[in-house]
Amino acid sequence: MELNPSEVTSVLKAEIENFQSEASTEHVGQVLQVGDGVARVYGLDHCMMSELVEFRNGVMGVALNLEEDNVGCVLLGNASSVKEGDVVKSTGKVISVPTGDELLGRVVNALGEPMDGRGVIQTSSDDLRPIEQTAPTVVEREPVTEPMMSGIKSIDAMIPVGRGQRELIIGDRQTGKTALIIDSIINQKNTGGGDPSNPEQVLCVYNAIGQKQSTVVEVLRRLEEAGAMSYTIIVNASASEEASMQFLSPYSATAMAERFRDAGRHVLIAYDDLTKQAYAYRQVMLLLRRPPGREAYPGDVFNLHSKLLERSAKLSRNAHELNPEKYSGGGGSITAFPVVETQEGDVSAYVPTNVISITDGQIFLESDLFYSGVRPAVNVGISVSRVGGAAQTPAMKKVAGGLRINLAQFRELEAFAQFGSDLDTATQQALTRGARLVELLKQGQYVPLKNSEQIVSIFAGTSGVLDEIENAQVPSFVEGLVEHMNANHADVMIELDQWKTKWTNEIEGTVKSACETFSGQFSA
Ligand code: ATP
Ligand code: MG
């Protein structure tokens, strides 16, 4: 038999090529070291940054540190079942979560898996979205123009938030940060009646990070009671879960929100809270031996928050024409309420300063105010909304114009008045007015107010109607006045609820005379 050398070489070459391509479809490595929720893996040469890797018993991990001779991964899920020497496969995919309408009303973890015991969430592979996405580009954005009404008087009147804005909620522990968010979510029911298929309905995503399970259960119960879960997703990475799940959950939550935004819908997302997310990130990074910087955070903790919050934006009306691949509708928005917890009101710590500089304003909550009974405990002096003024409803803008100044004057005079010396009438008037306004802006939990109701209440304060009555009677007066308006001038109230309605002389006349009529009834 004759051997043809060229045939032999071609067969061998083909075999070798086949062998190589077979071997390269699956990159495998071995666990070198594992513990504290992180693993070092040897042999994953072609691993990407943030790539999903699979350990032997179905445990997943994310590659975060690509070093010369090993890959540092965080483990998602049951870390105790991973052992040294285990085989690790890279998947070639980045971490993705299911998105879409099916998630509304559900409580899911950072991987989008249900946690509420209500069965599987019916989504297909088309619904999967990578949790890390690039933010909309400059041309795809628009300045904020529409209001995102929180239903809280002190916020909508003085620190208005627009759709697409990032407004930080910052304060010490137990100052009512979560309460503000819950009320804002409940208030969104006014936008579309709570029907998620109504295009006007603002959808909500509440991301709980490192919180007690009991707090999350309470939030869920409150939202269910208020009928707000029909348009809300809760993404929960509670204190008992791995640090990896805690620091990844905001990205997952944002991916879910982006699905709606890209279809032209409006979304409100709350991250409660980013301090705990930064703690989780710091923990993982120290375990992976990244060099620690200020306050032992890794060098990229600023980017951790800026890349997240940049994804909240107002999209331009023709975004779907500019980029039809990405957007199926224009004009959508994500409004973000990130929460940061301070220690003893110290806003100059690392994470608070970072997030203050990233966001478009902050709502500052103060323990002193909270304990003295001013709730919500908003410190008006240092709270700002840098872009929201453009989105405030015109009627509210007109009525609440003098509010900030009046309150600032009051706070200054209050200090003098304590000396008890004789005060001139102008000072006395400013003190009375201020005290009434402080009383007026107090608001209980779970009772967000409609635009019309807020405007009428604030008009009573700024026009001086309240100056005539006792401080203690302010809440019952305002409540009565709103009832009176709803009963006798329903048409005006409905008109004022349309956020584009202007504060005309006619409306002002009606509200003024209603105030007078009601004052008479009230004092009688
Ligand atoms: P944590 O730091 O624990 O997350 P937090 O800042 O989120 O706290 P909340 O849990 O919202 O604070 O509120 C703390 C307490 O204050 C709760 O018991 C809540 O019921 C109460 N509270 C909050 N807002 C109001 C309000 N407007 N009126 C009355 N009570 C309120
Ligand atoms: Mg809270």
Side-chain angles (χ1 to χ4, degrees):
M1 197 173 76
E2 250 182 62
L3 272 178
N4 184 347
S6 68
E7 205 172 289
V8 173
T9 30
S10 73
V11 168
L12 278 176
K13 262 187 190 155
E15 282 292 319
I16 289 167
E17 239 160 56
N18 268 345
F19 177 75
Q20 275 175 343
S21 62
E22 250 170 47
S24 62
T25 49
E26 199 170 74
H27 295 294
V28 289
Q30 258 192 337
V31 177
L32 274 182
Q33 213 182 48
V34 59
D36 301 318
V38 303
R40 283 174 183 281
V41 177
Y42 173 80
L44 289 182
D45 290 341
H46 298 275
C47 194
M48 294 183 291
M49 184 67 183
S50 303
E51 183 173 339
L52 207 55
V53 295
E54 192 182 343
F55 292 82
R56 202 164 56 178
N57 7 35
V59 177
M60 304 305 273
V62 182
L64 284 183
N65 258 11
L66 307 179
E67 283 169 38
E68 224 169 279
D69 52 352
N70 67 64
V71 174
C73 305
V74 285
L75 300 166
L76 311 168
N78 186 8
S80 58
S81 66
V82 176
K83 288 191 286 296
E84 221 170 88
D86 274 0
V87 173
V88 187
K89 280 188 245 170
S90 58
T91 59
K93 288 183 288 198
V94 291
I95 176 167
S96 303
V97 289
T99 59
D101 294 341
E102 289 296 321
L103 285 133
L104 292 168
R106 302 298 299 263
V107 183
V108 296
N109 69 9
L111 302 176
E113 295 160 351
M115 300 181 91
D116 49 6
R118 290 187 195 157
V120 289
I121 298 173
Q122 297 293 346
T123 49
S124 69
S125 57
D126 292 343
D127 296 324
L128 285 178
R129 279 184 165 231
I131 65 168
E132 303 251 7
Q133 301 262 358
T134 48
T137 62
V138 179
V139 286
E140 290 161 7
R141 290 169 183 248
E142 222 177 59
V144 304
T145 46
E146 300 138 292
M148 166 62 70
M149 275 174 274
S150 65
I152 297 161
K153 281 178 279 190
S154 47
I155 295 178
D156 289 347
M158 290 178 291
I159 319 155
V161 179
R163 293 187 180 173
Q165 187 174 347
R166 293 96 33 97
E167 183 77 10
L168 172 65
I169 297 177
I170 184 166
D172 282 359
R173 52 176 293 277
Q174 290 289 308
T175 48
K177 304 184 295 298
T178 306
L180 279 191
I181 290 169
I182 302 309
D183 286 350
S184 305
I185 293 180
I186 293 174
N187 191 49
Q188 299 316 311
K189 203 170 176 180
N190 289 333
T191 57
D195 173 14
S197 59
N198 182 343
E200 296 297 317
Q201 176 65 49
V202 175
L203 304 169
C204 301
V205 181
Y206 176 75
N207 177 209
I209 312 159
Q211 304 232 22
K212 294 186 295 250
Q213 294 277 39
S214 60
T215 316
V216 183
V217 169
E218 178 67 11
V219 168
L220 174 65
R221 195 176 68 81
R222 289 292 181 178
L223 292 179
E224 266 172 352
E225 249 168 37
M229 273 312 282
S230 60
Y231 54 86
T232 306
I233 306 173
I234 295 184
V235 182
N236 179 23
S238 68
S240 66
E241 287 185 55
E242 279 83 16
S244 54
M245 298 287 253
Q246 291 183 31
F247 90 78
L248 289 171
S249 69
Y251 302 102
S252 311
T254 312
M256 292 168 194
E258 278 169 337
R259 168 79 181 263
F260 300 123
R261 176 200 69 189
D262 295 352
R265 297 290 298 266
H266 298 286
V267 190
L268 171 66
I269 188 166
Y271 307 103
D272 196 4
D273 61 65
L274 290 184
T275 319
K276 300 209 178 66
Q277 191 223 4
Y279 289 163
Y281 190 63
R282 173 169 67 183
Q283 174 185 332
V284 168
M285 286 307 157
L286 288 174
L287 289 166
L288 284 172
R289 303 269 161 93
R290 281 235 191 133
R294 182 173 160 191
E295 289 180 23
Y297 287 106
D300 64 343
V301 76
F302 185 87
N303 180 252
L304 180 78
H305 292 145
S306 61
K307 74 177 169 189
L308 174 72
L309 292 168
E310 272 303 285
R311 290 161 68 180
S312 295
K314 167 86 177 105
L315 289 183
S316 108
R317 251 155 265 270
N318 61 352
H320 54 305
E321 287 155 23
L322 294 168
N323 190 348
E325 264 167 42
K326 190 166 173 193
Y327 306 114
S328 59
S333 71
I334 299 182
T335 312
F337 276 147
V339 176
V340 162
E341 189 186 294
T342 52
Q343 313 286 333
E344 295 289 319
D346 177 18
V347 289
S348 63
Y350 194 23
V351 171
T353 41
N354 280 353
V355 185
I356 285 174
S357 73
I358 295 164
T359 48
D360 310 307
Q362 71 270 353
I363 296 170
F364 196 91
L365 301 176
E366 231 169 40
S367 309
D368 291 351
L369 288 173
F370 189 85
Y371 294 127
S372 66
V374 181
R375 300 178 188 181
V378 180
N379 179 333
V380 180
I382 51 177
S383 299
V384 289
S385 171
R386 292 193 197 106
V387 297
Q392 195 171 29
T393 66
M396 179 64 99
K397 198 171 220 161
K398 195 78 198 259
V399 170
L403 207 51
R404 251 192 132 102
I405 275 268
N406 279 339
L407 282 171
Q409 274 178 341
F410 171 63
R411 228 166 288 113
E412 224 164 70
L413 293 174
E414 208 184 9
F416 283 113
Q418 283 175 352
F419 296 116
S421 51
D422 289 340
L423 300 168
D424 60 279
T425 40
T427 315
Q428 253 159 9
Q429 255 168 10
L431 281 170
T432 326
R433 175 67 57 86
R436 301 296 179 277
L437 293 179
V438 169
E439 204 56 47
L440 170 72
L441 291 174
K442 289 183 186 170
Q443 192 171 340
Q445 252 180 305
Y446 317 118
V447 278
L449 295 175
K450 287 188 184 160
N451 197 34
S452 57
E453 297 170 341
Q454 297 191 33
I455 290 174
V456 169
S457 324
I458 287 169
F459 179 78
T462 49
S463 66
V465 177
L466 294 181
D467 296 355
E468 311 300 323
I469 58 167
E470 286 299 312
N471 222 6
Q473 286 181 317
V474 168
S476 56
F477 181 90
V478 172
E479 203 175 300
L481 176 64
V482 168
E483 248 168 53
H484 176 82
M485 283 297 294
N486 276 330
N488 300 301
H489 303 282
D491 50 329
V492 174
M493 295 300 265
I494 291 169
E495 206 176 323
L496 283 175
D497 277 332
Q498 310 299 320
W499 61 266
K500 280 182 180 147
T501 304
K502 293 215 169 61
W503 185 251
T504 57
N505 288 341
E506 200 190 334
I507 294 182
E508 181 169 342
T510 315
V511 179
K512 212 171 201 165
S513 68
C515 283
E516 275 158 21
T517 323
F518 182 72
S519 290
Q521 288 174 7
F522 190 79
S523 50

